[in-house]
Amino acid sequence: MSQQGQSNSNKQGLGPRKAAVYLLDQVTGQGKLLPELIGEGALQHLSPEDRARAQRLAMETLRGLARADRMLARFVQRTPPLAVRNVLRLCTVELAGGEAAHGVVNAGVELVARNKRTSSMKGMVNAVLRKVAAEGPDGWAKLATPRMPGWLRSPLKDGYGPEVVAAMEKAQFAGAPLDLTVKGDAAAVAETLGGEVLPTGSVRVPQGGQVSALAGFDAGDWWVQDAAAAIPVLVMAPQKGEKILDLCAAPGGKTMQIAAAGAHVVAVDASAGRMRRVTENLERVKLSAETVVSDAFEYEQDGFDAILLDAPCSATGTIRRHPDLPYAKDGSEFAELIDQQARMIDHALTLLKPGGRLVFCTCSLLPDEGEVQVEEALARHDGLTVDTEALTIAGVDDAWRTEEGGLRLRPDFWADKGGMDGFYIAQLRKPA
């Protein structure tokens, strides 16, 4: 493309929009996850600012995909190819968000026109997007809140009931603010960034823009971590000088919390690539940990005072910030994950010293990946107990406690503050 052509594309915002459509094509057409695509370099050709915009556009479109399809169905007689459909979806979400109609419509037409396989449909795209623009945000707001896919909604309805599931869906559709865990003065960071200190101590700031451009990033004053994801380490309450194992450590948020408390933490992860990210994060925030690349089941060092097991799971609790999950998964991996979690609990207990504590957690909404796992672990291991006193933490509501002695966190909790990720957390005590 000529320099003039690149300049025009930049003015039209085609670069990030084109990249966002590519991400949508891969998620909805190939079942890939956004972190996987971004990790593979899908956005590397863009400037940091445009990378952030492309990712935001893709996520907003995925979050509102069902609504966009319902709105478009009124104006599209025959379903177009996926690439065109995703251009229409993205532009519909932008128009619904109040973006200037002229710019959005022109960009959508240009994206379709530049693709030889779809250029013949630019007239249809122009006509449809002009009709969508006429509906605007008012028409969008009248549409129903998008529902989770049936493979996930059905077991959640069985576990929580339809009203709770509807509240979760509302929280997921609203998206997620940016939560930070702060090394030092949380109130000072909140004031600097225009955020607030949440009841459990995390700092919540409005989402948007480049995280790396925020004050305090380069200085290592904080790291990004959903408020719910920070609670497992609060339950563990690591003490200075303790020897603690973070068994599935990447991306390292909990490792950094433990290190910041003054404990000696060993971070284990099976992926060398993910462990590099943990190391980079530790270096930025000026904290230290022993890092080990190893399969969790092959790691055999024992004698730990405490172990954090944030086990691989369905990640169904993170849809509010990962709206690609419902489109890239189908629930077929549930049984394998549940079996793996049980085996991980059993293995982790062998690495604890007598009387040691194991914090088991998953970012899942499924009881089979939380409450049921703890119930079955207690049945398998004589003398194993649940430490319910560990759940008495500032900001943690007693209503979050569960019958078997853990915490159930849901996206609709703190709805007035922007919600939280879904999590299950329990602290188990090995017999002395």
Side-chain angles (χ1 to χ4, degrees):
M1 183 184 295
S2 69
Q3 196 169 28
Q4 180 64 40
Q6 288 180 336
S7 176
N8 290 337
S9 292
N10 290 337
K11 288 179 181 178
Q12 290 177 296
L14 289 182
R17 284 185 171 110
K18 182 178 179 181
V21 171
Y22 171 78
L23 294 177
L24 293 172
D25 289 347
Q26 293 297 302
V27 171
T28 60
Q30 304 298 323
K32 291 193 174 184
L33 291 166
L34 286 179
E36 172 189 348
L37 293 164
I38 293 167
E40 293 172 352
L43 304 181
Q44 283 302 110
H45 62 291
L46 299 173
S47 67
E49 182 180 359
D50 281 351
R51 282 201 296 270
R53 186 182 180 198
Q55 189 170 350
R56 175 181 59 79
L57 286 171
M59 291 178 67
E60 288 178 354
T61 304
L62 289 165
R63 194 170 284 121
L65 204 66
R67 266 194 183 186
D69 284 348
R70 281 196 288 271
M71 181 171 276
L72 287 166
R74 298 169 52 194
F75 309 121
V76 179
Q77 294 182 344
R78 289 188 297 180
T79 303
L82 184 63
V84 175
R85 205 181 331 157
N86 280 331
V87 169
L88 289 170
R89 288 163 162 171
L90 182 143
C91 292
T92 296
V93 170
E94 283 199 271
L95 292 168
E99 289 291 328
H102 177 75
V104 174
V105 173
N106 283 353
V109 171
E110 185 69 15
L111 285 171
V112 172
R114 289 190 177 199
N115 186 334
K116 291 181 179 179
R117 290 177 296 178
T118 62
S119 59
S120 63
M121 307 189 78
K122 63 183 182 182
M124 180 273 289
V125 168
N126 180 63
V128 169
L129 289 180
R130 289 186 181 281
K131 292 175 183 177
V132 171
E135 292 285 315
D138 290 341
W140 177 264
K142 295 175 184 177
L143 296 170
T145 300
R147 289 187 169 191
M148 288 180 272
W151 59 261
L152 177 57
R153 199 172 201 273
S154 180
L156 293 184
K157 279 179 63 179
D158 292 342
Y160 300 102
E163 290 185 1
V164 169
V165 170
M168 290 181 185
E169 289 169 334
K170 185 176 179 181
Q172 290 165 349
F173 182 56
L178 184 67
D179 290 349
L180 310 175
T181 297
V182 180
K183 280 197 306 183
D185 187 343
V189 170
E191 183 177 359
T192 299
L193 297 177
E196 65 171 322
V197 180
L198 296 172
T200 52
S202 295
V203 170
R204 176 160 290 178
V205 298
Q207 179 68 280
Q210 295 172 241
V211 170
S212 60
L214 295 176
F217 178 86
D218 289 335
D221 294 340
W222 47 260
W223 55 91
V224 175
Q225 185 178 33
D226 188 82
I231 293 177
V233 175
L234 301 182
V235 170
M236 174 182 280
Q239 302 299 306
K240 189 173 183 178
E242 283 190 313
K243 182 183 175 184
I244 297 177
L245 174 64
D246 188 354
L247 195 52
C248 299
K254 298 176 183 66
T255 297
M256 290 185 281
Q257 281 182 278
I258 298 168
H264 173 75
V265 55
V266 179
V268 174
D269 199 272
S271 166
R274 291 197 300 266
M275 188 55 78
R276 280 194 296 273
R277 184 178 174 191
V278 174
T279 301
E280 290 168 359
N281 288 336
L282 285 164
E283 289 174 351
R284 181 180 66 80
V285 300
K286 301 175 180 63
L287 292 170
S288 61
E290 181 183 343
T291 57
V292 179
V293 177
S294 171
D295 182 275
F297 293 107
E298 295 175 0
Y299 185 79
E300 296 183 345
Q301 182 181 339
D302 59 10
F304 287 95
D305 296 293
I307 296 175
L308 178 67
L309 174 57
D310 186 355
C313 70
S314 64
T316 48
T318 68
I319 292 174
R320 59 196 275 276
R321 67 179 65 255
H322 295 297
D324 49 321
L325 285 171
Y327 300 98
K329 294 190 175 187
D330 60 8
S332 60
E333 80 279 21
F334 285 174
E336 183 179 348
L337 285 169
I338 290 165
D339 175 67
Q340 183 184 49
Q341 291 155 13
R343 291 186 294 112
M344 280 190 164
I345 290 173
D346 294 346
H347 178 60
L349 289 171
T350 70
L351 308 181
L352 272 179
K353 72 179 186 181
R357 58 201 192 277
L358 169 65
V359 173
F360 168 73
C361 60
T362 56
C363 54
S364 170
L365 293 172
L366 298 166
D368 283 347
E369 294 187 286
E371 293 89 337
V372 175
Q373 285 287 13
V374 168
E375 289 172 349
E376 293 182 350
L378 293 171
R380 288 195 305 273
H381 298 276
D382 290 340
L384 186 67
T385 57
V386 183
D387 184 357
T388 57
E389 291 184 8
L391 308 182
T392 304
I393 300 167
V396 170
D397 195 318
D398 284 344
W400 302 351
R401 293 178 180 242
T402 54
E403 290 183 2
E404 80 298 329
L407 287 179
R408 166 53 66 190
L409 311 181
R410 302 196 320 243
D412 55 308
F413 291 166
W414 288 350
D416 60 328
K417 298 179 182 295
M420 63 169 66
D421 280 354
F423 248 89
Y424 176 81
I425 308 158
Q427 178 158 279
L428 304 173
R429 284 274 184 179
K430 185 175 180 177

